[in-house]
Amino acid sequence: MKRILKVDFTVKSMCQLAMFMAITVILSYVNEIIPSLPQGGTISVDVIAIMLCGYLMGAGYGVICGIGVSILQFVLGLATYYGPWSVLLDYVLPLAVCGLTPLMKTQKIGNLPICWGIVFVMFLKYLSHFASGAFLFASYAPKGMNPIVYSLRYNIIYVAPTLILCMIVVPLLYPRLKRAFM
């Protein structure tokens, strides 16, 4: 467990981390063309690169990648500022937890890999978005509807498809990229 969270800043690891951050930012621009929900939230293609960074380099690097990308998204105008709690719950925390994918083992059922790390981090990402919606953006809930129930329903609409996308794409890309990182 210690090794998976360990971070050594060598020239090679910093270049690889910068590469993953750049890929994530490029994929953030892809997110811009995917239709989003009225109060924000879209199927996130960019988290694939953060998850791969975590799997290939370790959870420590994955978390750093997620935090770095959230900062870059604000610098590049890809993120909207609604206050410090929104920054934390809508950007920094959800992207940082995506790097924790290697903390849970992948299991094969037949030929189908089940990446429990992806399920785990997407659940944490969902909880972060839920907390933001329920407590920071409660006024967007329809009149007479409990903001907690509204946030539970609203956020699952885009987090579940992102989970499915990641469960398909990450296992396809990981074995191909693993050879380059050995």
mmCIF file of all heavy atoms in Angstrom, residues 6-7 13 16 32 42 48-49 57 63 69 80 84 88 90 92 100 122 125 144 148-149 164:
data_model
loop_
_atom_site.group_PDB
_atom_site.id
_atom_site.type_symbol
_atom_site.label_atom_id
_atom_site.label_comp_id
_atom_site.label_asym_id
_atom_site.label_seq_id
_atom_site.Cartn_x
_atom_site.Cartn_y
_atom_site.Cartn_z
ATOM 1 N N LYS A 6 3.128 6.316 -3.069
ATOM 2 C CA LYS A 6 4.419 6.988 -3.097
ATOM 3 C C LYS A 6 4.574 7.819 -4.368
ATOM 4 O O LYS A 6 4.182 7.412 -5.451
ATOM 5 C CB LYS A 6 5.534 5.954 -3.016
ATOM 6 C CG LYS A 6 6.884 6.557 -2.872
ATOM 7 C CD LYS A 6 7.928 5.508 -2.626
ATOM 8 C CE LYS A 6 9.205 6.226 -2.532
ATOM 9 N NZ LYS A 6 10.320 5.931 -2.153
ATOM 10 N N VAL A 7 5.169 8.993 -4.188
ATOM 11 C CA VAL A 7 5.413 9.892 -5.310
ATOM 12 C C VAL A 7 6.882 10.294 -5.293
ATOM 13 O O VAL A 7 7.365 10.834 -4.299
ATOM 14 C CB VAL A 7 4.516 11.157 -5.223
ATOM 15 C CG1 VAL A 7 4.860 12.135 -6.310
ATOM 16 C CG2 VAL A 7 3.053 10.775 -5.267
ATOM 17 N N SER A 13 9.011 10.961 -14.254
ATOM 18 C CA SER A 13 7.663 10.946 -13.677
ATOM 19 C C SER A 13 6.961 12.285 -13.857
ATOM 20 O O SER A 13 5.755 12.333 -14.089
ATOM 21 C CB SER A 13 7.707 10.557 -12.201
ATOM 22 O OG SER A 13 8.338 11.551 -11.426
ATOM 23 N N GLN A 16 5.743 12.372 -17.456
ATOM 24 C CA GLN A 16 4.569 11.519 -17.613
ATOM 25 C C GLN A 16 3.334 12.150 -16.978
ATOM 26 O O GLN A 16 2.242 12.126 -17.551
ATOM 27 C CB GLN A 16 4.836 10.140 -16.996
ATOM 28 C CG GLN A 16 5.837 9.324 -17.773
ATOM 29 C CD GLN A 16 6.239 8.050 -17.055
ATOM 30 O OE1 GLN A 16 6.123 7.935 -15.835
ATOM 31 N NE2 GLN A 16 6.730 7.078 -17.817
ATOM 32 N N GLU A 32 -16.739 19.792 -23.594
ATOM 33 C CA GLU A 32 -17.466 21.010 -23.944
ATOM 34 C C GLU A 32 -18.453 20.788 -25.094
ATOM 35 O O GLU A 32 -19.435 21.506 -25.209
ATOM 36 C CB GLU A 32 -16.490 22.134 -24.318
ATOM 37 C CG GLU A 32 -15.633 22.597 -23.158
ATOM 38 C CD GLU A 32 -16.430 23.265 -22.065
ATOM 39 O OE1 GLU A 32 -17.240 24.150 -22.370
ATOM 40 O OE2 GLU A 32 -16.244 22.862 -20.891
ATOM 41 N N THR A 42 -22.008 16.951 -17.008
ATOM 42 C CA THR A 42 -21.992 16.296 -18.305
ATOM 43 C C THR A 42 -21.247 14.973 -18.181
ATOM 44 O O THR A 42 -20.529 14.745 -17.204
ATOM 45 C CB THR A 42 -21.325 17.197 -19.369
ATOM 46 O OG1 THR A 42 -21.455 16.585 -20.650
ATOM 47 C CG2 THR A 42 -19.859 17.426 -19.085
ATOM 48 N N ILE A 48 -11.041 9.776 -17.753
ATOM 49 C CA ILE A 48 -10.373 8.556 -18.228
ATOM 50 C C ILE A 48 -8.862 8.703 -18.101
ATOM 51 O O ILE A 48 -8.175 7.792 -17.635
ATOM 52 C CB ILE A 48 -10.787 8.242 -19.686
ATOM 53 C CG1 ILE A 48 -12.265 7.851 -19.731
ATOM 54 C CG2 ILE A 48 -9.901 7.164 -20.288
ATOM 55 C CD1 ILE A 48 -12.838 7.765 -21.130
ATOM 56 N N ALA A 49 -8.335 9.858 -18.488
ATOM 57 C CA ALA A 49 -6.884 10.072 -18.425
ATOM 58 C C ALA A 49 -6.388 10.106 -16.978
ATOM 59 O O ALA A 49 -5.302 9.603 -16.680
ATOM 60 C CB ALA A 49 -6.514 11.363 -19.144
ATOM 61 N N MET A 57 0.764 4.987 -12.946
ATOM 62 C CA MET A 57 1.831 5.620 -12.172
ATOM 63 C C MET A 57 1.663 5.452 -10.667
ATOM 64 O O MET A 57 2.629 5.568 -9.924
ATOM 65 C CB MET A 57 1.906 7.112 -12.513
ATOM 66 C CG MET A 57 2.258 7.390 -13.951
ATOM 67 S SD MET A 57 2.384 9.161 -14.291
ATOM 68 C CE MET A 57 3.875 9.568 -13.384
ATOM 69 N N VAL A 63 -3.841 11.465 -7.978
ATOM 70 C CA VAL A 63 -4.437 12.549 -7.198
ATOM 71 C C VAL A 63 -3.808 13.888 -7.592
ATOM 72 O O VAL A 63 -4.515 14.889 -7.781
ATOM 73 C CB VAL A 63 -4.293 12.287 -5.681
ATOM 74 C CG1 VAL A 63 -4.683 13.506 -4.870
ATOM 75 C CG2 VAL A 63 -5.134 11.086 -5.275
ATOM 76 N N VAL A 69 -5.214 19.300 -12.843
ATOM 77 C CA VAL A 69 -6.169 19.525 -13.931
ATOM 78 C C VAL A 69 -7.283 20.471 -13.491
ATOM 79 O O VAL A 69 -7.708 21.329 -14.257
ATOM 80 C CB VAL A 69 -6.737 18.182 -14.454
ATOM 81 C CG1 VAL A 69 -7.955 18.390 -15.316
ATOM 82 C CG2 VAL A 69 -5.667 17.424 -15.203
ATOM 83 N N THR A 80 -16.302 26.952 -14.061
ATOM 84 C CA THR A 80 -17.034 28.134 -13.627
ATOM 85 C C THR A 80 -16.906 28.288 -12.123
ATOM 86 O O THR A 80 -17.120 27.326 -11.379
ATOM 87 C CB THR A 80 -18.526 28.010 -13.996
ATOM 88 O OG1 THR A 80 -18.614 27.726 -15.397
ATOM 89 C CG2 THR A 80 -19.273 29.286 -13.698
ATOM 90 N N PRO A 84 -15.771 29.149 -3.162
ATOM 91 C CA PRO A 84 -14.728 28.182 -2.785
ATOM 92 C C PRO A 84 -15.254 26.773 -2.514
ATOM 93 O O PRO A 84 -14.595 25.791 -2.853
ATOM 94 C CB PRO A 84 -14.112 28.792 -1.517
ATOM 95 C CG PRO A 84 -15.069 29.820 -1.044
ATOM 96 C CD PRO A 84 -15.866 30.270 -2.229
ATOM 97 N N LEU A 88 -14.189 23.287 -4.524
ATOM 98 C CA LEU A 88 -13.762 22.053 -3.868
ATOM 99 C C LEU A 88 -14.645 20.867 -4.238
ATOM 100 O O LEU A 88 -14.147 19.807 -4.635
ATOM 101 C CB LEU A 88 -13.757 22.240 -2.346
ATOM 102 C CG LEU A 88 -13.356 21.001 -1.541
ATOM 103 C CD1 LEU A 88 -11.890 20.670 -1.768
ATOM 104 C CD2 LEU A 88 -13.640 21.212 -0.075
ATOM 105 N N ASP A 90 -17.080 20.551 -6.676
ATOM 106 C CA ASP A 90 -17.422 20.309 -8.078
ATOM 107 C C ASP A 90 -16.210 20.059 -8.968
ATOM 108 O O ASP A 90 -16.354 19.509 -10.054
ATOM 109 C CB ASP A 90 -18.211 21.486 -8.651
ATOM 110 C CG ASP A 90 -19.626 21.547 -8.110
ATOM 111 O OD1 ASP A 90 -20.200 20.475 -7.860
ATOM 112 O OD2 ASP A 90 -20.148 22.666 -7.942
ATOM 113 N N VAL A 92 -12.134 20.180 -7.645
ATOM 114 C CA VAL A 92 -10.912 19.632 -7.053
ATOM 115 C C VAL A 92 -11.128 18.221 -6.507
ATOM 116 O O VAL A 92 -10.424 17.281 -6.891
ATOM 117 C CB VAL A 92 -10.368 20.564 -5.942
ATOM 118 C CG1 VAL A 92 -9.139 19.951 -5.284
ATOM 119 C CG2 VAL A 92 -10.033 21.939 -6.516
ATOM 120 N N LEU A 100 -7.472 7.754 -7.576
ATOM 121 C CA LEU A 100 -7.369 6.685 -6.576
ATOM 122 C C LEU A 100 -7.747 5.308 -7.119
ATOM 123 O O LEU A 100 -7.889 4.363 -6.345
ATOM 124 C CB LEU A 100 -8.254 7.021 -5.364
ATOM 125 C CG LEU A 100 -7.878 8.272 -4.573
ATOM 126 C CD1 LEU A 100 -8.922 8.548 -3.493
ATOM 127 C CD2 LEU A 100 -6.493 8.143 -3.965
ATOM 128 N N MET A 122 -15.792 6.526 -8.879
ATOM 129 C CA MET A 122 -16.990 7.177 -9.429
ATOM 130 C C MET A 122 -18.053 7.340 -8.346
ATOM 131 O O MET A 122 -18.813 8.308 -8.361
ATOM 132 C CB MET A 122 -17.535 6.391 -10.623
ATOM 133 C CG MET A 122 -16.667 6.501 -11.865
ATOM 134 S SD MET A 122 -16.350 8.181 -12.409
ATOM 135 C CE MET A 122 -17.971 8.690 -12.901
ATOM 136 N N LYS A 125 -16.859 10.349 -6.496
ATOM 137 C CA LYS A 125 -17.127 11.522 -7.354
ATOM 138 C C LYS A 125 -18.614 11.878 -7.269
ATOM 139 O O LYS A 125 -18.980 13.053 -7.139
ATOM 140 C CB LYS A 125 -16.724 11.204 -8.797
ATOM 141 C CG LYS A 125 -16.813 12.352 -9.773
ATOM 142 C CD LYS A 125 -16.305 11.885 -11.136
ATOM 143 C CE LYS A 125 -16.167 12.964 -12.157
ATOM 144 N NZ LYS A 125 -17.302 13.795 -12.393
ATOM 145 N N GLY A 144 -41.100 22.466 -3.871
ATOM 146 C CA GLY A 144 -41.759 21.379 -3.166
ATOM 147 C C GLY A 144 -40.957 20.087 -3.124
ATOM 148 O O GLY A 144 -41.357 19.127 -2.483
ATOM 149 N N ILE A 148 -32.138 17.264 -1.302
ATOM 150 C CA ILE A 148 -31.303 16.059 -1.220
ATOM 151 C C ILE A 148 -31.761 15.031 -2.242
ATOM 152 O O ILE A 148 -30.945 14.449 -2.972
ATOM 153 C CB ILE A 148 -31.313 15.490 0.215
ATOM 154 C CG1 ILE A 148 -30.597 16.470 1.147
ATOM 155 C CG2 ILE A 148 -30.695 14.108 0.275
ATOM 156 C CD1 ILE A 148 -30.662 16.121 2.604
ATOM 157 N N VAL A 149 -33.051 14.812 -2.328
ATOM 158 C CA VAL A 149 -33.598 13.870 -3.312
ATOM 159 C C VAL A 149 -33.305 14.370 -4.730
ATOM 160 O O VAL A 149 -32.904 13.602 -5.602
ATOM 161 C CB VAL A 149 -35.122 13.674 -3.105
ATOM 162 C CG1 VAL A 149 -35.723 12.842 -4.216
ATOM 163 C CG2 VAL A 149 -35.391 13.045 -1.749
ATOM 164 N N ILE A 164 -20.041 3.997 -16.841
ATOM 165 C CA ILE A 164 -20.123 2.975 -17.893
ATOM 166 C C ILE A 164 -19.051 3.213 -18.953
ATOM 167 O O ILE A 164 -18.361 2.282 -19.376
ATOM 168 C CB ILE A 164 -21.536 2.950 -18.513
ATOM 169 C CG1 ILE A 164 -22.552 2.471 -17.470
ATOM 170 C CG2 ILE A 164 -21.579 2.079 -19.766
ATOM 171 C CD1 ILE A 164 -23.999 2.708 -17.846
#
